[in-house]
Amino acid sequence: MGLDTAVLYIVATPIGNLADMVPRAVEVLQSADLVAAEDTRHSQRLFSHFSIDTPLVAYHDHSDDIRTGKILDRLAQGQTIALISDAGTPLISDPGYRLVREAREQGFPVVPIPGPCAFVAALSAAGLPSDRFTFEGFLPAKSLARQKALSALASETRTMVFYEAPHRVLETLEAMTESFGGQREAVIARELTKAFETIQLLPLAELVEWVRADSNQQRGEIVLLVRGAEAAKASALDGESERVMKLLLAELPPKRAAAVAAEITGVNKKVLYNWSLSQK
């Protein structure tokens, strides 16, 4: 395979099962002049399996501007660079944003080589609504910051997707139960594509107990998915409140109309505002 010169390729690699490696990814890694890897020791197993002998250089969250500059210099010399993470698609809660941004700003083409991604695999098999979702990545490690982040998501109506470290998964599920309620459906997707793959859907309170009872569920690579909150339904208004709102909406934006109508009718302005949105 002949690669274009002075191109940065973003290459997805397997999240567990090496058979998921796409042929195009193998060809790019074999043909590139240099591969920037999150952990060169970890990537060596992948390289050995697919007989890839391209030179490796470390590129991770702690890489400084000097390392980024050296990679950009090699692009400027006409070399082809491939970026990989330890597993899955680079930049999805993995390093690479600064390098991609600067490469694009300097005019170098950035080409994605699609492949495995843990949260996409988990979402596809979770059994939760997937038409709209939000990827939240890793929550804060400290409990107070984590609880604050979850509280801010309590009214989120889209399916929420998180990554979590195994030693924190039980604590995080307990915090989710506190913020979202024990009856909210959630999924733990663990060790995807590997020998001990687990995908379990339960109400949060039951999922906490299920994970607590089996220490094996607190090991490996973990994706957590939580069903979104039910969308708030607009309350019906009495005839007079509805008449006032319609008159005000003809002249004012919904938020201002609701505030004025609340003063006139005594109805909660949030109820009035939600009603106005339901009329669109």
Side-chain angles (χ1 to χ4, degrees):
M1 176 183 180
L3 299 184
D4 292 334
T5 59
V7 174
L8 175 62
Y9 288 92
I10 311 302
V11 183
T13 57
I15 58 177
N17 193 324
L18 292 179
D20 293 335
M21 185 77 163
V22 299
R24 187 181 175 208
V26 175
E27 292 173 357
V28 167
L29 294 180
Q30 288 175 334
S31 303
D33 295 300
L34 180 72
V35 176
E38 185 177 0
D39 185 331
T40 56
R41 293 168 300 177
H42 180 92
S43 297
Q44 197 56 59
R45 173 173 171 261
L46 179 77
F47 275 40
S48 296
H49 183 84
F50 290 104
S51 301
I52 300 168
D53 57 11
T54 305
L56 279 162
V57 63
Y59 190 86
H60 45 70
D61 276 337
H62 304 294
S63 294
D64 55 20
D65 292 338
I66 294 176
R67 176 58 54 85
T68 301
K70 286 182 177 179
I71 293 174
L72 293 170
D73 286 345
R74 297 186 73 152
L75 286 171
Q77 294 166 17
Q79 295 189 16
T80 297
I81 310 295
L83 176 69
I84 62 174
S85 62
D86 284 349
T89 301
L91 280 78
I92 307 301
S93 283
D94 282 327
Y97 164 76
R98 284 187 302 144
L99 178 60
V100 169
R101 178 79 179 198
E102 293 190 33
R104 296 188 65 84
E105 287 180 349
Q106 293 188 26
F108 299 113
V110 179
V111 178
I113 308 298
C117 178
F119 93 78
V120 174
L123 185 64
S124 72
L128 295 177
S130 57
D131 54 331
R132 296 176 68 245
F133 62 90
T134 173
F135 176 67
E136 297 295 328
F138 285 95
L139 288 163
K142 294 185 177 180
S143 59
L144 287 178
R146 180 169 58 242
Q147 198 67 62
K148 184 178 180 180
L150 290 171
S151 295
L153 292 168
S155 60
E156 173 61 65
T157 58
R158 296 168 293 181
T159 295
M160 294 167 280
V161 186
F162 306 86
Y163 286 163
E164 191 51 279
H167 64 278
R168 286 197 301 266
V169 65
L170 183 57
E171 186 178 350
T172 294
L173 286 170
E174 291 171 341
M176 287 176 170
T177 302
E178 183 177 338
S179 293
F180 303 145
Q183 293 307 306
R184 185 85 69 90
E185 285 187 329
V187 170
I188 182 171
R190 189 183 69 86
E191 291 291 84
L192 293 173
T193 77
K194 301 177 186 177
F196 298 103
E197 176 180 276
T198 303
I199 303 173
Q200 180 67 284
L201 167 65
L202 288 169
L204 268 167
E206 295 180 33
L207 191 59
V208 167
E209 295 306 318
W210 187 78
V211 170
R212 181 182 286 123
D214 184 359
S215 61
N216 287 324
Q217 305 310 324
Q218 300 172 47
R219 298 174 182 170
E221 302 293 328
I222 294 171
V223 184
L224 297 176
L225 306 95
V226 182
R227 190 183 188 106
E230 292 293 330
K233 296 180 181 178
S235 300
L237 298 182
D238 61 75
E240 178 61 13
S241 297
E242 185 173 323
R243 186 185 71 82
V244 170
M245 277 297 293
K246 285 181 177 179
L247 289 171
L248 291 170
L249 285 169
E251 303 294 335
L252 299 172
K255 193 170 184 179
R256 179 61 182 155
V260 174
E263 294 181 9
I264 297 171
T265 65
V267 177
N268 183 281
K269 66 180 179 182
K270 187 173 182 180
V271 171
L272 293 165
Y273 177 71
N274 287 339
W275 179 87
S276 72
L277 296 182
S278 74
Q279 303 308 297
K280 293 184 177 180

